Each structure stands twice: as structure tokens, then as C-alpha cells.
């Protein structure tokens, strides 16, 4: 029975599933190329140099060698895919235009190794990908045609949606991604919460929201990695991740293009919600590559409550 990891009596690989969903050949190729690139990222994570690369990204954060290496691996695949015109990476200062392919049909924004600072303490990290039709990467997230992430944890899993349900694939011993959960659906209310950032910088409204979650018996689950934290909420189908506005950081920490839009697309397609405390994440019109926003993402009732606490305070 699909939906039980490892219980399916026949294996459906990623390419076959995408074709079964009626995805066009160019997008099938693009998603499979990204899945292929992840195998080299896995090798870098498992065995690569954890040293510092000496360069820094546009946020001024020192880039670990793994950030730089993962970014290069994925970008190279995208450039040679033949179906991508513009590329934005969390590790690049500006959009990269693929000269040999000025018409698309697709553009990609990605975070090559989100949470890379967790690798040297052996915690799970991931690649997050957002795909648009055409060459404009500053569209609202609701215009995405696909989103996916690859989670490098005890197992390597890949979750994608093209707007027709959310599906999980798990990598086998041959490094093939096979379907392990299909049409993942979230519950309306959750039992875990992931509160990012410094609690002593939370607003009164967010503190009250945390107390509301604790009063209903929600358990705190926070790894510091956006991909594993969201993956847990998505697969358990009951929880909320938040990285709110903090005193001194009114836009929180997470990036709209590279982290929030793809995850909001996946969570909404699984029946959940994602808000910046006022409007849905997917309705934000990005003004720049480095735009950040506060985020409440997960079960619809929990997100609605978070927004109410924002409005009341
Ligand atoms: P890095 O990619 O810079 O390591 O940041 C990871 C991240 O953006 C996201 O994966 C986490 O949810 C968030 O940071 C954790 O931030 P705090 O450590 O401030 O809670």
C-alpha cells in the first residue's frame, strides 16, 4: 500500500511518476537532473571538505566549502539541462543568465545546501528548489510550476509537487529515487511546533501564540534545519514551523525566493498553509533576491491562529 515507506510491492521511480502526472518532458528532465545532481551533493556532504571556502554570499555569511561545492554542482546541471534560462542561488549575488538558452522554458531559484552549518555536527540538511515557467524569477510564489526539496538525513528523500499533490521518494542502495508516499495530506491542526530564532526577541503576540500551542499540548521539535523541520511537519501531517519577526529583525531570517516560496508551495499543495503573519507567503511579490519574511507554515488552523495573534497584538 503506497503511503507506507518501504511497503510498496512495486517500485515507481521519479521519472515514471512525473510522466504519470502528465508533466511535460522539459520539466521531467529538469526535475530528474536536479535529482541526479543531488547524488553528487550527497557525496560532498558525506565525505567533502568541511573547511571554509573563504568567499561570502550576499548576506555576508562566510561560505562553507560545502555551500560553494553544492552550489556549483547544481548550477552546472541546470546550465547544461538545456531547459533553464535564469538561475538564482542563495549562494550567488545575482541572477545567472544561461546564454545558450535565453527562452527557458524554465527558471530556477534554489538553496543548494540549506543548514550547511549543521553538517559539522552531523545533523540533517537539504537542497530546496523553486521552478517557474519562463525567465522571470521575481514572480509571486503562487506562480511556481513546481517545487521540491532533497533531504540528506539518515535516508535521502526527495519531495516534489507540480500542483497535483505532494509526493515523497526515497533513495535506494542503487541511488535511485523510488516512490514511498503519494498525495501527502496534512491534518487541520498540529501536535508539534518549531519556533525559530531567539525567543527573547519574540513579540508579545508570538509569545502568546507559543503559550497557546503549549496549552494544547504541542511538543517542541526544532533541529535548526529548515528542510528536516518542515519534512517532519509535512510527513507527520500535524505541526507548525515559525520563524517570526524578531526585535531588530522585522523580516525574520528566512528567504522568500529560496526557502519560503518552495516550502509554502509544497505545504499548501498538501492542504496546509503558510503566512507572513498578514498575507499568504505565496502572494508576496518579491522585490529582490535577498528578500526575507516572517513565516508561520504548517497546519491551516495553527497558521490561522498565529495570524490572529499577530492581528490582536
Ligand atoms: P543556514 O543555511 O545559514 O545554515 O541557515 C539555515 C536556516 O536558514 C534554516 O535552515 C533554519 O530554519 C534557520 O536558518 C535556523 O535559524 P536559527 O539558527 O536562527 O534558528
Amino acid at each position: 500500500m503506497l503511503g507506507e515507506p518501504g511497503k510498496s510491492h512495486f517500485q515507481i521511480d521519479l521519472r515514471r511518476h512525473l510522466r504519470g502526472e502528465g508533466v511535460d518532458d522539459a520539466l521531467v528532465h529538469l526535475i530528474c537532473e536536479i535529482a541526479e545532481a543531488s547524488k553528487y551533493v550527497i557525496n560532498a556532504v558525506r565525505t567533502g571538505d568541511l573547511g571554509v571556502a573563504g568567499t561570502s554570499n550576499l548576506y555576508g555569511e562566510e561560505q562553507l566549502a560545502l555551500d560553494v561545492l553544492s552550489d556549483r554542482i547544481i548550477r552546472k546541471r541546470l546550465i547544461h539541462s538545456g531547459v533553464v534560462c535564469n538561475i538564482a542561488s542563495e549562494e550567488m549575488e545575482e541572477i545567472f543568465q544561461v546564454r545558450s538558452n535565453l527562452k527557458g522554458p524554465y527558471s530556477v531559484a534554489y538553496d543548494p545546501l540549506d543548514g550547511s552549518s549543521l553538517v559539522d555536527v552531523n545533523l540533517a540538511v537539504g537542497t530546496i528548489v523553486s521552478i517557474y515557467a519562463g525567465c522571470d524569477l521575481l514572480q509571486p510564489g503562487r506562480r511556481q510550476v513546481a517545487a521540491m526539496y532533497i533531504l540528506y538525513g539518515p535516508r535521502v528523500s526527495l519531495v516534489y509537487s507540480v500542483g497535483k499533490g505532494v509526493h515523497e521518494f526515497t533513495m535506494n542502495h542503487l541511488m535511485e529515487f523510488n516512490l514511498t508516499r503519494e498525495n501527502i495530506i496534512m491534518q487541520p491542526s498540529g501536535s508539534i511546533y518549531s519556533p525559530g530564532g531567539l525567543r527573547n526577541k519574540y513579540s508579545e503576540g508570538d509569545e502568546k501564540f507559543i503559550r497557546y500551542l503549549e496549552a494544547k499540548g504541542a511538543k517542541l521539535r526544532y533541529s535548526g534545519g529548515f528542510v528536516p523541520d518542515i519534512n517532519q511537519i509535512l510527513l507527520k501531517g500535524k505541526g507548525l514551523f515559525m520563524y517570526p519577526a524578531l526585535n531588530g529583525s522585522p523580516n525574520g531570517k528566512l528567504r522568500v525566493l529560496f526557502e519560503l516560496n518552495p516550502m509554502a508551495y509544497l505545504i499548501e499543495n498538501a492542504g496546509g498553509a503558510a503566512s507572513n503573519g498578514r498575507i499568504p507567503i505565496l502572494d508576496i511579490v518579491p522585490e529582490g533576491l535577498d528578500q526575507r519574511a516572517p513565516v508561520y507554515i504548517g497546519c491551516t488552523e495553527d497558521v490561522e491562529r498565529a495570524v490572529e495573534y499577530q492581528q490582536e497584538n
Side-chain angles (χ1 to χ4, degrees), residues 61 90 111 113-117 196-197 222 224-226 241 243 253-255 259:
E61 295 156 347
E90 192 189 85
D111 182 350
L113 202 64
D114 184 83
S116 54
S117 50
Y222 191 75
F226 193 41
F241 176 100
Y243 204 111
K253 174 183 182 182
L254 300 186
R255 289 84 171 187
E259 293 161 315

Short mmCIF file of all heavy atoms in Angstrom, two decimals, residues 61 90 111 113-117 196-197 222 224-226 241 243 253-255 259, ligand 1:
data_model
loop_
_atom_site.label_atom_id
_atom_site.label_comp_id
_atom_site.label_asym_id
_atom_site.label_seq_id
_atom_site.Cartn_x
_atom_site.Cartn_y
_atom_site.Cartn_z
N GLU A 61 27.43 36.07 4.88
CA GLU A 61 27.76 34.89 5.69
C GLU A 61 28.94 34.16 5.06
O GLU A 61 28.96 33.98 3.86
CB GLU A 61 26.57 33.94 5.77
CG GLU A 61 25.38 34.53 6.50
CD GLU A 61 24.06 33.86 6.07
OE1 GLU A 61 24.06 33.13 5.05
OE2 GLU A 61 23.06 34.08 6.74
N GLU A 90 20.89 30.91 -3.57
CA GLU A 90 21.10 31.64 -2.32
C GLU A 90 22.58 31.99 -2.17
O GLU A 90 22.94 32.92 -1.48
CB GLU A 90 20.63 30.79 -1.13
CG GLU A 90 20.55 31.60 0.15
CD GLU A 90 20.29 30.73 1.34
OE1 GLU A 90 21.27 30.20 1.89
OE2 GLU A 90 19.12 30.59 1.70
N ASP A 111 18.29 26.85 -2.99
CA ASP A 111 19.24 26.93 -1.89
C ASP A 111 19.99 25.61 -1.93
O ASP A 111 19.43 24.57 -1.58
CB ASP A 111 18.48 27.11 -0.55
CG ASP A 111 19.44 27.26 0.62
OD1 ASP A 111 20.65 27.04 0.45
OD2 ASP A 111 18.96 27.60 1.73
N LEU A 113 22.37 24.07 -0.26
CA LEU A 113 22.58 23.28 0.96
C LEU A 113 22.12 24.10 2.17
O LEU A 113 22.91 24.71 2.87
CB LEU A 113 24.05 22.88 1.09
CG LEU A 113 24.30 21.66 1.98
CD1 LEU A 113 23.65 20.42 1.39
CD2 LEU A 113 25.79 21.42 2.16
N ASP A 114 20.80 24.08 2.36
CA ASP A 114 20.23 24.85 3.46
C ASP A 114 20.60 24.20 4.80
O ASP A 114 20.46 22.99 4.95
CB ASP A 114 18.70 24.90 3.32
CG ASP A 114 18.10 25.76 4.39
OD1 ASP A 114 18.06 26.99 4.21
OD2 ASP A 114 17.72 25.22 5.45
N GLY A 115 21.12 25.02 5.70
CA GLY A 115 21.51 24.48 7.01
C GLY A 115 22.92 23.93 7.02
O GLY A 115 23.30 23.16 7.89
N SER A 116 23.71 24.35 6.03
CA SER A 116 25.05 23.74 5.85
C SER A 116 25.88 23.78 7.14
O SER A 116 26.68 22.90 7.39
CB SER A 116 25.83 24.46 4.74
OG SER A 116 25.88 25.84 5.02
N SER A 117 25.62 24.79 8.00
CA SER A 117 26.41 24.87 9.24
C SER A 117 26.12 23.68 10.16
O SER A 117 26.82 23.44 11.13
CB SER A 117 26.10 26.18 9.97
OG SER A 117 24.70 26.34 10.07
N GLY A 196 11.58 29.10 15.48
CA GLY A 196 12.94 29.54 15.11
C GLY A 196 13.30 30.88 15.74
O GLY A 196 12.43 31.62 16.18
N GLY A 197 14.60 31.12 15.76
CA GLY A 197 15.07 32.42 16.23
C GLY A 197 15.16 32.51 17.75
O GLY A 197 14.89 31.56 18.47
N TYR A 222 12.67 21.13 17.06
CA TYR A 222 13.42 22.12 16.28
C TYR A 222 14.85 21.65 16.11
O TYR A 222 15.54 21.41 17.09
CB TYR A 222 13.40 23.48 17.00
CG TYR A 222 13.91 24.62 16.16
CD1 TYR A 222 13.13 25.15 15.14
CD2 TYR A 222 15.18 25.16 16.36
CE1 TYR A 222 13.59 26.19 14.36
CE2 TYR A 222 15.65 26.20 15.58
CZ TYR A 222 14.85 26.71 14.58
OH TYR A 222 15.31 27.74 13.81
N GLY A 224 16.98 23.25 13.74
CA GLY A 224 17.82 24.30 13.18
C GLY A 224 18.01 24.15 11.68
O GLY A 224 18.63 24.99 11.04
N GLY A 225 17.44 23.08 11.12
CA GLY A 225 17.47 22.90 9.66
C GLY A 225 16.06 23.02 9.12
O GLY A 225 15.17 22.25 9.52
N PHE A 226 15.87 23.97 8.20
CA PHE A 226 14.52 24.21 7.68
C PHE A 226 13.97 22.96 6.98
O PHE A 226 12.81 22.61 7.18
CB PHE A 226 14.58 25.39 6.70
CG PHE A 226 13.26 25.96 6.30
CD1 PHE A 226 12.22 26.14 7.23
CD2 PHE A 226 13.03 26.36 5.00
CE1 PHE A 226 11.01 26.70 6.85
CE2 PHE A 226 11.82 26.92 4.62
CZ PHE A 226 10.80 27.08 5.54
N PHE A 241 5.75 25.28 11.74
CA PHE A 241 7.09 25.87 11.83
C PHE A 241 6.91 27.38 11.80
O PHE A 241 6.10 27.91 11.04
CB PHE A 241 7.95 25.42 10.65
CG PHE A 241 9.32 26.06 10.61
CD1 PHE A 241 10.43 25.36 11.06
CD2 PHE A 241 9.50 27.36 10.16
CE1 PHE A 241 11.70 25.95 11.04
CE2 PHE A 241 10.76 27.96 10.14
CZ PHE A 241 11.86 27.24 10.58
N TYR A 243 9.23 31.17 11.97
CA TYR A 243 10.41 31.99 12.17
C TYR A 243 9.89 33.42 12.07
O TYR A 243 9.79 33.98 10.99
CB TYR A 243 11.51 31.72 11.14
CG TYR A 243 12.87 32.12 11.68
CD1 TYR A 243 13.82 31.16 11.98
CD2 TYR A 243 13.18 33.45 11.96
CE1 TYR A 243 15.06 31.52 12.52
CE2 TYR A 243 14.41 33.83 12.50
CZ TYR A 243 15.33 32.86 12.78
OH TYR A 243 16.55 33.21 13.32
N LYS A 253 14.26 35.75 9.30
CA LYS A 253 15.55 35.32 8.73
C LYS A 253 15.42 34.63 7.38
O LYS A 253 16.29 34.72 6.53
CB LYS A 253 16.25 34.36 9.71
CG LYS A 253 17.53 33.74 9.15
CD LYS A 253 18.14 32.75 10.11
CE LYS A 253 19.44 32.17 9.56
NZ LYS A 253 20.04 31.17 10.47
N LEU A 254 14.31 33.92 7.16
CA LEU A 254 14.24 33.02 6.00
C LEU A 254 13.94 33.79 4.71
O LEU A 254 13.20 34.78 4.71
CB LEU A 254 13.21 31.93 6.25
CG LEU A 254 13.52 31.04 7.48
CD1 LEU A 254 12.54 29.89 7.57
CD2 LEU A 254 14.95 30.51 7.44
N ARG A 255 14.56 33.31 3.60
CA ARG A 255 14.48 33.99 2.32
C ARG A 255 13.26 33.59 1.54
O ARG A 255 12.95 32.40 1.42
CB ARG A 255 15.74 33.67 1.49
CG ARG A 255 17.03 34.32 1.98
CD ARG A 255 17.70 33.52 3.07
NE ARG A 255 19.03 34.03 3.38
CZ ARG A 255 19.84 33.39 4.20
NH1 ARG A 255 19.48 32.26 4.77
NH2 ARG A 255 21.04 33.89 4.47
N GLU A 259 13.72 29.74 0.17
CA GLU A 259 13.25 28.85 1.25
C GLU A 259 11.72 28.89 1.38
O GLU A 259 11.06 27.86 1.36
CB GLU A 259 13.92 29.27 2.57
CG GLU A 259 15.43 29.02 2.59
CD GLU A 259 16.17 29.83 3.66
OE1 GLU A 259 15.91 31.04 3.80
OE2 GLU A 259 17.02 29.23 4.35
P1 LIG B 1 21.95 28.42 7.08
O1 LIG B 1 21.54 27.86 5.74
O2 LIG B 1 22.59 29.75 7.01
O3 LIG B 1 22.67 27.42 7.94
O4 LIG B 1 20.60 28.74 7.87
C1 LIG B 1 19.65 27.71 7.94
C2 LIG B 1 18.34 28.41 8.18
O5 LIG B 1 18.14 29.41 7.24
C3 LIG B 1 17.19 27.40 8.14
O6 LIG B 1 17.59 26.17 7.61
C4 LIG B 1 16.79 27.25 9.60
O7 LIG B 1 15.41 27.04 9.74
C5 LIG B 1 17.22 28.58 10.22
O8 LIG B 1 18.35 29.00 9.48
C6 LIG B 1 17.62 28.39 11.66
O9 LIG B 1 17.94 29.68 12.13
P2 LIG B 1 18.26 29.87 13.69
O10 LIG B 1 19.52 29.09 13.94
O11 LIG B 1 18.39 31.35 13.86
O12 LIG B 1 17.11 29.30 14.49
#
